[in-house]
Amino acid sequence: MSLTIGELSRQTQVKVPTIRYYEQIGLLAEPVRTDGKQRRYGPGDVRRLNFIRHARALGFEIEAIRQLLGLAGDPDRCCGEVHDITRAHLEEVKDKIARLSALRDELETMVACDHRRISECRIIEAIADHGECQHHQQ
Amino acid sequence: MSLTIGELSRQTQVKVPTIRYYEQIGLLAEPVRTDGKQRRYGPGDVRRLNFIRHARALGFEIEAIRQLLGLAGDPDRCCGEVHDITRAHLEEVKDKIARLSALRDELETMVACDHRRISECRIIEAIADHGECQHHQQ
DNA sequence: TCTTGAACCTCTAGCCGCTAGAGGATGTAG
DNA sequence: CTACATCCTCTAGCGGCTAGAGGTTCAAGA
């Protein structure tokens, strides 16, 4: 009934080295081992790793996921903190979108360049003359 | 007439260790040194570093900037390649925006949680049951 | 029972684009 | 001539993995 790390990887779509990495940073508990030191996983591990994968796909950072997992294991608690973490993440995402949108607009103006010589290329000029605005994406 | 690394840093808003890092990866040429091995920069370095900073602020990767700098130094060439690099970057930015927007919508649905107990929290459920969609932001 | 060989193990290093710190040398103002 | 801000090099760390070396284990087939 138990899974090897490869089977867990196939079921959750999380790569084998990533699973070991999650164990190393304490996001996943150390599993049972065979006599030959190979890892064996149960259904609980599948659920937890799926949760992690989904949260990563939603862009949560590892530390946020660690907190969410802690809270998720505490069924009687009010989920206010879960709400806070998610809202904070939502704000970050909105912020990124806003900054990237400004970037997109600038780049779109720039690519209206009509293939002149470099010495009069609007893109090069645009980068060289770019003002004091602070984008810092990602 | 020449600048110390600290003065260059103040003029360009690029931090001192970052300037040394750019030199190390060959993005910035090795500058003149004093007898005591301290770096001294000229106006050309200020221009080049400003270009780099602006391009970074626009989200270009170091490798793209390396190419842009190479092309920028070739005034008679047609700027088609510059255009291509910029358009490729624009496409990436648009792609990121699209993925982040989908993420934002999902998170917004999730934060409509009304502070119940964890055991019936919609956010936790939403993460746990999250489908097979692949977001992978950033 | 033995032999394959795929999958497992640990360990280390690398990716990007910096940032931080140790520990020491240099340069300039008073 | 001294103080001390700034400079130097070198190494390690950040997040979140990914890749590779070099060796071991496990399960299926002969």
Side-chain angles (χ1 to χ4, degrees), chain B residues 7-27:
Chain B
E7 288 160 347
L8 178 63
S9 168
R10 254 163 268 132
Q11 283 203 22
T12 58
Q13 307 276 62
V14 176
K15 290 180 186 163
V16 169
T18 305
I19 296 172
R20 286 196 277 248
Y21 170 72
Y22 286 160
E23 179 185 328
Q24 191 190 310
I25 62 170
L27 204 56

Side-chain angles (χ1 to χ4, degrees), chain A residues 52-67:
Chain A
I52 294 169
R53 177 172 70 92
H54 298 328
R56 284 295 299 139
L58 286 166
F60 285 95
E61 290 175 8
I62 297 288
E63 280 318 301
I65 297 173
R66 208 187 287 279
Q67 289 178 50

Side-chain angles (χ1 to χ4, degrees), chain B residues 4 6 20 33 39:
Chain B
T4 67
R20 286 196 277 248
R33 301 267 188 153
R39 293 167 177 85

Side-chain angles (χ1 to χ4, degrees), chain A residues 37-57:
Chain A
K37 309 275 182 190
Q38 295 199 358
R39 292 167 177 85
R40 287 300 120 92
Y41 296 93
D45 297 306
V46 178
R47 277 194 301 276
R48 191 175 174 97
L49 189 50
N50 267 324
F51 184 96
I52 294 169
R53 177 172 70 92
H54 298 328
R56 284 295 299 139

Side-chain angles (χ1 to χ4, degrees), chain B residues 1 4 13 22 35 65 84 86 88 94-97 112 132:
Chain B
M1 264 314 322
T4 67
Q13 307 276 62
Y22 286 160
D35 292 347
I65 297 173
D84 292 345
T86 308
K94 282 183 177 174
D95 211 68
K96 259 185 206 169
I97 292 172
E132 293 314 305

Side-chain angles (χ1 to χ4, degrees), chain A residues 4 6 20 33 37 39:
Chain A
T4 66
R20 286 196 277 249
R33 301 268 188 153
K37 309 275 182 190
R39 292 167 177 85

Side-chain angles (χ1 to χ4, degrees), chain B residues 16-130:
Chain B
V16 169
T18 305
I19 296 172
R20 286 196 277 248
Y21 170 72
Y22 286 160
E23 179 185 328
Q24 191 190 310
I25 62 170
L27 204 56
L28 225 44
E30 293 187 18
V32 190
R33 301 267 188 153
T34 62
D35 292 347
K37 310 273 181 191
Q38 297 199 356
R39 293 167 177 85
R40 288 298 121 96
Y41 296 93
D45 297 306
V46 178
R47 277 195 300 276
R48 191 175 173 96
L49 189 51
N50 266 324
F51 185 95
I52 294 169
R53 178 172 70 92
H54 298 328
R56 285 295 299 140
L58 286 166
F60 285 95
E61 290 175 9
I62 298 288
E63 279 319 301
I65 297 173
R66 207 187 287 279
Q67 289 177 51
L68 288 173
L69 282 166
L71 295 166
D74 207 347
D76 289 331
R77 196 184 187 113
C78 165
C79 78
E81 287 178 63
V82 171
H83 186 276
D84 292 345
I85 291 169
T86 308
R87 203 160 35 85
H89 178 47
L90 174 58
E91 290 311 310
E92 277 169 34
V93 170
K94 282 183 177 174
D95 211 68
K96 259 185 206 169
I97 292 172
R99 281 179 290 130
L100 287 172
S101 299
L103 224 51
R104 180 200 52 205
D105 295 345
E106 280 198 77
L107 288 169
E108 251 159 9
T109 312
M110 282 162 64
V111 293
C113 174
D114 44 4
H115 294 245
R116 308 145 182 262
R117 289 187 310 144
I118 291 281
S119 55
E120 45 197 21
C121 172
R122 287 200 217 118
I123 295 178
I124 297 285
E125 279 170 27
I127 299 175
D129 302 342
H130 196 253

